[in-house]
């Protein structure tokens, strides 16, 4: 491992607000690219809100994912749980609001003496194309917003995988 580089995590949780647009897309992009990379990492996704528990992804996300070679229609939405902060090594937030909520929740868990060892980071942290940039919420948006989710997910996922392959 090189200085300042962490080794690959064993598990990752992708988090957005509703878990029906951005995070299920990022989950499947991660899964496919990890399978090609030879890294063995468990991937899941969840939402900070409980707007759509048990729902499949938004039809627009399903269609854009499919057009780009990703099948997300079997994924089902769920809300982030306290246990996620112990079960996952790394929790990736799609935007700043998700990041802040996750960090606050982890701090509260730790104050209560609960196990909450997960690192919490912005998904785009190391992305050379979208560095430190939120994945914009496409829910009230247009086709191009859904396409942007795919483009940014691919770019950020590749950046993480390259980083772990070098470590
Ligand atoms: P996501 O998008 O956070 O990328 O899954 C949204 C999905 C649903 C809602 C907001 C954002 N909603 O308000 O229901």
């Amino acid at each position: 491992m090189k200085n300042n580089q962490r080794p690959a995590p064993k598990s990752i949780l992708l988090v957005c607000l509703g878990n029906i647009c951005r995070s299920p897309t990022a989950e499947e992009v991660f899964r496919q690219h990890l399978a090609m990379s030879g890294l063995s990492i468990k991937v899941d996704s969840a939402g900070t809100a409980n707007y759509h528990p048990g729902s499949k992804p938004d039809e627009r996300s399903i269609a854009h994912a499919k057009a780009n070679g990703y099948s997300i229609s079997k994924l089902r939405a769920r809300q982030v749980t306290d246990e996620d902060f112990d079960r996952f090594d790394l929790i990736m937030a799609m935007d700043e609001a998700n990041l802040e909520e996750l960090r606050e929740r982890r701090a509260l868990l730790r104050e209560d003496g609960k196990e909450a060892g997960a690192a919490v980071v912005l998904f785009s942290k190391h992305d050379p194309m979208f560095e430190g940039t939120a994945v914009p919420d496409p829910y009230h948006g247009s086709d191009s917003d859904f396409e942007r989710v795919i483009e940014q997910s691919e770019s950020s996922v590749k950046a993480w995988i390259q980083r772990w392959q070098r470590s």
Side-chain angles (χ1 to χ4, degrees), residues 16-24 51-52 58 94 98 136-140:
C16 61
L17 177 64
N19 193 212
I20 57 165
C21 298
R22 293 167 293 174
S23 60
Y51 294 153
H52 310 276
D58 187 287
M94 293 294 120
N98 309 145
D137 183 349
Y139 192 65
H140 297 289

Side-chain angles (χ1 to χ4, degrees), residues 31-52:
R31 198 169 277 127
Q32 265 199 37
H33 285 259
L34 283 169
M36 290 186 287
S37 76
L39 288 168
S40 177
I41 299 175
K42 180 177 95 171
V43 188
D44 195 7
S45 68
T48 56
N50 203 28
Y51 294 153
H52 310 276

Side-chain angles (χ1 to χ4, degrees), residues 14-166:
L14 286 308
V15 174
C16 61
L17 177 64
N19 193 212
I20 57 165
C21 298
R22 293 167 293 174
S23 60
T25 302
E27 175 186 347
E28 192 53 32
V29 171
F30 239 129
R31 198 169 277 127
Q32 265 199 37
H33 285 259
L34 283 169
M36 290 186 287
S37 76
L39 288 168
S40 177
I41 299 175
K42 180 177 95 171
V43 188
D44 195 7
S45 68
T48 56
N50 203 28
Y51 294 153
H52 310 276
S55 296
K56 59 184 188 172
D58 187 287
E59 289 299 338
R60 298 163 295 175
S61 290
I62 291 176
H64 281 269
K66 190 173 177 195
N68 285 278
Y70 303 101
S71 172
I72 64 170
S73 59
K74 293 207 163 55
L75 301 180
R76 294 294 178 265
R78 71 172 181 88
Q79 192 173 25
V80 176
T81 66
D82 289 351
E83 291 70 34
D84 287 329
F85 291 83
D86 185 35
R87 285 193 6 237
F88 291 89
D89 290 338
L90 187 55
I91 301 182
M92 296 189 176
M94 293 294 120
D95 67 28
E96 304 285 356
N98 309 145
L99 183 69
E100 194 173 328
E101 189 162 335
L102 290 165
R103 287 197 167 142
E104 275 174 16
R105 185 152 169 190
R106 184 184 55 179
L108 288 174
L109 287 168
R110 288 179 178 177
E111 272 176 33
D112 287 349
K114 304 260 173 59
E115 294 290 336
V120 176
V121 296
L122 198 62
F123 179 50
S124 61
K125 183 173 183 192
H126 301 295
D127 186 332
M129 261 173 83
F130 298 97
E131 192 174 350
T133 308
V135 182
D137 183 349
Y139 192 65
H140 297 289
S142 62
D143 273 352
S144 66
D145 299 300
F146 282 88
E147 208 54 33
R148 162 86 184 253
V149 174
I150 307 265
E151 186 191 359
Q152 197 166 339
S153 293
E154 288 179 332
S155 179
S156 290
V157 160
K158 284 178 191 166
W160 282 109
I161 290 177
Q162 274 179 16
R163 202 175 159 80
W164 294 327
Q165 284 176 326
R166 284 199 308 267

